Amino acid sequence: YHYEGRTDDAEKFIAENHGKHRFGFQIKDRKKAFSDDLGFLPLEEEGYVLDIDYGAKKAVKRGIRNISGAYELTIGKKGISIYGYDEKGAFYGIQTLRQLFTHSQIPCLHIEDAPDFPHRGFYHDITRGRISTLPTLLRLVEDMAYYKLNSLQLYVEHVFPFRETAELVKKTGCI
């Protein structure tokens, strides 16, 4: 991460803006792609601006790395800006913002980030222990998105009977 800013910047920001706005955000989702991903934010018509956009040409001009998933996140006195190299990058910027919102204070900062590896994943052996339900697997995918993991591999052994392989299972005991 490239970080600029200090925690006292956040205190100054809060002191200067206390009483000027109710706490909330007005969303400027330029491509209208992220409304489902912003439920963690309180919305306010007169709130701080959260500006989200992406696009390779503009990203390169802004100095964002020429890598799928790259983004920059800036939190300043006038609001928050997320700009991604592509849609994936803007989404990852939103996840970083979600992680910052778990703290009691949010500093003014500038982050430039890009994935080091194209595939960051989780290997889940669903045949050991309790069998995962669909809601559990969907929650796992949500948690993976929060941590910017982009690949889920489910390991399945012979404990699940599949109609397509019924004869093979009868002969060998495995898929």
Side-chain angles (χ1 to χ4, degrees):
Y1 292 110
H2 172 69
Y3 173 81
E4 293 174 5
R6 303 182 310 274
T7 10
D8 57 333
D9 291 340
E11 292 168 8
K12 184 178 177 184
F13 172 76
I14 292 167
E16 289 175 356
N17 292 285
H18 181 59
K20 291 183 182 177
H21 301 285
R22 286 181 261 169
F23 185 74
F25 292 89
Q26 51 177 305
I27 308 298
K28 291 188 178 177
D29 181 1
R30 307 281 180 178
K31 304 268 193 310
K32 310 254 185 280
F34 300 104
S35 59
D36 292 343
D37 302 310
L38 300 171
F40 68 99
L41 287 175
L43 302 179
E44 180 66 44
E45 199 172 299
E46 298 294 321
Y48 299 108
V49 174
L50 171 57
D51 192 7
I52 306 170
D53 201 1
Y54 61 90
K57 287 182 182 178
K58 283 185 188 176
V60 171
K61 285 181 183 176
R62 294 173 73 120
I64 297 172
R65 290 178 60 193
N66 187 13
I67 296 174
S68 179
Y71 67 92
E72 72 175 13
L73 166 66
T74 303
I75 300 176
K77 293 179 182 178
K78 295 183 180 178
I80 299 173
S81 168
I82 297 172
Y83 201 92
Y85 176 80
D86 52 9
E87 186 174 355
K88 202 181 297 186
F91 178 78
Y92 292 157
I94 291 169
Q95 300 315 305
T96 298
L97 184 63
R98 283 180 62 198
Q99 293 166 8
L100 289 169
F101 266 74
T102 63
H103 301 283
S104 59
Q105 290 187 342
I106 300 167
C108 294
L109 54 77
H110 178 79
I111 296 173
E112 296 174 9
D113 191 19
D116 289 328
F117 303 102
H119 304 286
R120 297 162 313 282
F122 181 69
Y123 180 87
H124 184 36
D125 182 352
I126 63 172
T127 58
R128 308 270 187 251
R130 298 181 68 182
I131 303 295
S132 298
T133 63
L134 182 58
T136 302
L137 293 174
L138 293 174
R139 175 62 196 202
L140 176 62
V141 170
E142 289 289 325
D143 290 345
M144 289 175 59
Y146 180 79
Y147 292 108
K148 304 172 196 157
L149 299 176
N150 62 5
S151 178
L152 172 62
Q153 182 175 352
L154 299 176
Y155 178 74
V156 180
E157 277 190 0
H158 65 280
V159 296
F160 293 105
F162 295 103
R163 281 183 233 126
E164 296 83 17
T165 60
E167 288 302 312
L168 181 63
V169 173
K170 284 179 187 175
K171 292 178 185 175
T172 64
C174 59
I175 297 177

